[in-house]
Structure formats: structure tokens, C-alpha cells
Amino acid sequence: MPVIKHPRFIEPLCHEWDRKAQKCGLRHTVYAVNGDQYTGEWQDNLKHGKGTQIWKSTGAIYSGDWKFGMRDGYGSYSVPDPETKEYKKMYTGWWEKDRRGGRGVYFYSNGEQYDGEWRKGLRSGWGKMHYKDGSVYEGQWLKDKPNGQGVLRLANGNRYEGGWKNGKKHGSGKYFYPDKGQLLEGTWVADIPKCGALVDFERENAAAPTEFPLPEIELHDPAAVLEEARAMFDDNHN
């Protein structure tokens, strides 16, 4: 019986070279065509694992976790100061699909600082913002703006506690004036109080209380008020 011999398959050299060129595991610094450089781990020719990226155009540095070519996990992002050239940390925290996502701290160039939750690169969730004028907001955020329930403490000691919408006071809230010993409680619409009541609050501890205290608001029993109204009606029609 004749023996049939099949020719042995020989892989083309180009396939072998391409396979050997694929970056996997820990590699030394790899330079991109535009001058960017990356040092760290790879998988299937993508940045994956721990690594550090330096962008040539801005000099910015990211050091942290990567997943399939994108910043994903925990990492820090720093940029050089235009004058001193020293690196200043801008963000440290969690990333998701190359954008800030999860809990993290962002340091703004004007000295402001946000510590809280992020979603798709925007402040969303619960967070605390320190503004350059000395005021502090702590509460809920949505798409980079206070939205939901939160507290705004001003540098002069006054504070607002209540609802927010699109970055403005909106809904039920309380505005405290510790220096005057007063409290405004009511309803806000787009930063404007539409209705409410101003009452004295811890007046004895106020640094500069108003000259005269506000009169107490008399609360009546609804049933008694209704009975009085009926009596007046009967008197007028008898």
C-alpha cells in the first residue's frame, strides 16, 4: 500500500515576525511615533496592567492601572508647572475607560479642590468642593453641578442646607445667618427664595444680632379657627 506524504506546513516569516513583535508582559520604555512614551505592562499589544505614560505635547504623566489600552483602575495624573517646570498632581483616584470614574481628588489650577465621586469624567454622586473664595459645598452632584441635597458653607459663616438643581438652590431649604442670629426657612427656585419665614435662631450667640428680635409666630389650632369663623358667620347672618 503506497504511503502518502503531505507536505509540512511552513508558516510565513511575516507571521512569525508579527507574533514576536506583539508586546506582552513587562516591557521597557516604548516610544510612539508622536514622541509619547510608555513604560509598563502590555497584553495583546495594548497597555494592560501597571504602567506610566508621558505625553510629549503637554509633558503630562499618568502612572497607574491600564486596561486594554485605556486608563482604568487606580492612578495619578500630573502636569508640569509652566513656570517652575515642577510636576503638580491634578488628579489621583479611580478611572474608568480613560476617564475619571469612581472616587477621586481633583486639584484645580486656581487652588480649588474636589474630593468625591466621578462618572464619565464629571463630578457626579457625593462630593465635597473647596472654592477659592473660602466657601465649601458638600452634597450631591450631577454632571459637574450641585444637584440633590447639599450644604453650602460660606466664608463668613453663613450656610444653606437644602435642595439644589443644576448648581442653584432649588426646593425646600434653610439659610442660616449665625452673625445675625436668624434663620430663613422656605422654598427656593433657581437661587431665589420664593416664600418662607424669617425667625430668630440662637440670637443670644450671634456676633451682631439685629436691633430688635422678630415677633413670635402664633400658631392656632385649625379646629378652633374654623369654629371661630363659623361663629362670626352666624353673628353676621342673624
Side-chain angles (χ1 to χ4, degrees):
M1 183 177 179
V3 178
I4 300 175
K5 294 184 178 180
H6 296 282
R8 187 177 62 180
F9 175 75
I10 300 176
E11 182 182 37
L13 287 177
C14 61
H15 291 182
E16 182 180 357
W17 293 339
D18 182 65
R19 187 174 63 255
K20 290 182 178 180
Q22 294 292 313
K23 294 181 283 293
C24 285
L26 182 63
R27 296 289 292 268
H28 293 295
T29 303
V30 176
Y31 293 88
V33 176
N34 61 2
D36 295 347
Q37 49 183 295
Y38 172 81
T39 305
E41 297 176 297
W42 298 77
Q43 180 175 314
D44 298 331
N45 221 31
L46 295 172
K47 306 179 187 81
H48 191 87
K50 302 288 185 181
T52 300
Q53 167 97 9
I54 302 177
W55 287 267
K56 183 179 180 181
S57 59
T58 61
I61 295 180
Y62 169 80
S63 181
D65 296 323
W66 296 78
K67 186 180 290 185
F68 303 116
M70 293 185 290
R71 292 168 290 184
D72 200 298
Y74 191 85
S76 297
Y77 181 80
S78 304
V79 296
D81 186 275
E83 298 180 358
T84 64
K85 304 303 179 182
E86 295 182 358
Y87 276 92
K88 298 174 59 178
K89 188 174 293 184
M90 286 193 67
Y91 177 77
T92 181
W94 292 92
W95 300 72
E96 186 176 0
K97 294 182 179 179
D98 222 31
R99 292 187 288 186
R100 293 183 292 276
R103 181 69 181 270
V105 183
Y106 192 93
F107 304 90
Y108 295 84
S109 58
N110 61 359
E112 297 182 343
Q113 176 182 321
Y114 173 80
D115 182 357
E117 296 175 297
W118 299 79
R119 190 175 300 121
K120 295 183 179 180
L122 301 175
R123 293 168 290 183
S124 290
W126 190 271
K128 188 175 185 178
M129 182 74 186
H130 295 263
Y131 296 96
K132 61 181 180 180
D133 63 0
S135 58
V136 178
Y137 170 81
E138 183 173 8
Q140 294 174 301
W141 294 75
L142 180 64
K143 295 182 179 179
D144 247 7
K145 295 181 179 180
N147 200 95
Q149 293 295 311
V151 179
L152 175 65
R153 295 180 174 85
L154 303 180
N156 62 5
N158 293 347
R159 74 181 187 275
Y160 169 80
E161 301 177 2
W164 296 78
K165 185 177 181 180
N166 294 327
K168 297 181 179 180
K169 293 182 281 292
H170 193 91
S172 299
K174 299 178 181 180
Y175 205 113
F176 295 84
Y177 301 88
D179 57 335
K180 301 296 183 183
Q182 292 181 330
L183 162 65
L184 174 61
E185 183 173 3
T187 302
W188 274 256
V189 176
D191 255 354
I192 301 174
K194 293 296 184 178
C195 62
L198 183 65
V199 298
D200 285 333
F201 178 80
E202 296 186 354
R203 179 184 174 84
E204 64 279 3
N205 299 324
T210 52
E211 184 177 357
F212 302 103
L214 293 171
E216 294 290 338
I217 299 177
E218 295 184 7
L219 299 178
H220 298 277
D221 181 7
V225 173
L226 181 59
E227 186 64 30
E228 183 179 351
R230 287 175 177 172
M232 292 179 62
F233 179 82
D234 293 339
D235 291 342
N236 292 333
H237 289 79
N238 289 333

